[in-house]
């Protein structure tokens, strides 16, 4: 992805997913579980991969995953996903996650960034060729 300001939402881009963590997503200290964040990142990354594959995809690799700041109950999370590489059957996606804290004060911080790879699969759940891009 292009370089973004870690303290502002990316300009001119629409998030692929927006979520509000609930108390059941957090530990006793109010920090949202990393596993919950990881699952939401996987969903966000799969959205552009599914569109590019024109069908089913499966996560085959989490190439990198960095928790930059904690996430709290009540943060409004915005997930931005961008395809960065396409192979014969695979699609690599970068995902950035920003938290809007204390929404009345417009405090925004990047909380997570990750790179995941998906493979297009057929009804038999085996890898399949990606369709050609149409214009």
């Amino acid at each position: 992805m292009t370089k973004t300001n870690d303290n502002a939402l990316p300009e001119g881009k629409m998030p692929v997913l927006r979520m509000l963590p609930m108390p059941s997503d957090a530990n006793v200290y109010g920090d949202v579980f990393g596993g919950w964040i990881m699952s939401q990142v996987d969903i966000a990354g799969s959205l552009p991969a599914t569109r590019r594959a024109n069908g089913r995809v499966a996560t085959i690799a989490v190439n990198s995953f960095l928790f930059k700041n904690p996430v709290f109950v009540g943060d409004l999370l915005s997930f931005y996903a961008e395809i960065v590489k396409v192979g014969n059957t695979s699609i690599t996606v970068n995902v950035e996650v920003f938290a809007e804290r204390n929404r009345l004060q417009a405090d925004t911080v990047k909380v997570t960034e990750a790179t995941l790879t998906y493979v297009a699969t057929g009804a038999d759940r085996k890898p399949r060729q990606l369709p050609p891009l149409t214009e």
Side-chain angles (χ1 to χ4, degrees), residues 107-119:
D107 184 18
T108 302
V109 61
K110 184 191 276 187
V111 293
T112 305
E113 56 189 43
T115 304
L116 301 95
T117 301
Y118 302 86
V119 65

Side-chain angles (χ1 to χ4, degrees), residues 82-95:
E82 180 179 25
I83 294 173
V84 294
K85 183 179 176 189
V86 176
N88 292 324
T89 63
S90 65
I91 303 160
T92 302
V93 180
N94 281 349
V95 179

Side-chain angles (χ1 to χ4, degrees), residues 49-95:
T50 298
R51 268 186 254 130
R52 174 59 186 90
N54 196 28
R56 180 193 312 256
V57 296
T59 309
I60 58 166
V62 177
N63 308 75
S64 66
F65 207 106
L66 178 63
F67 294 102
K68 298 177 69 95
N69 287 290
V71 174
F72 306 112
V73 170
D75 285 349
L76 178 59
L77 301 180
S78 296
F79 296 75
Y80 295 84
E82 180 179 25
I83 294 173
V84 294
K85 183 179 176 189
V86 176
N88 292 324
T89 63
S90 65
I91 303 160
T92 302
V93 180
N94 281 349
V95 179

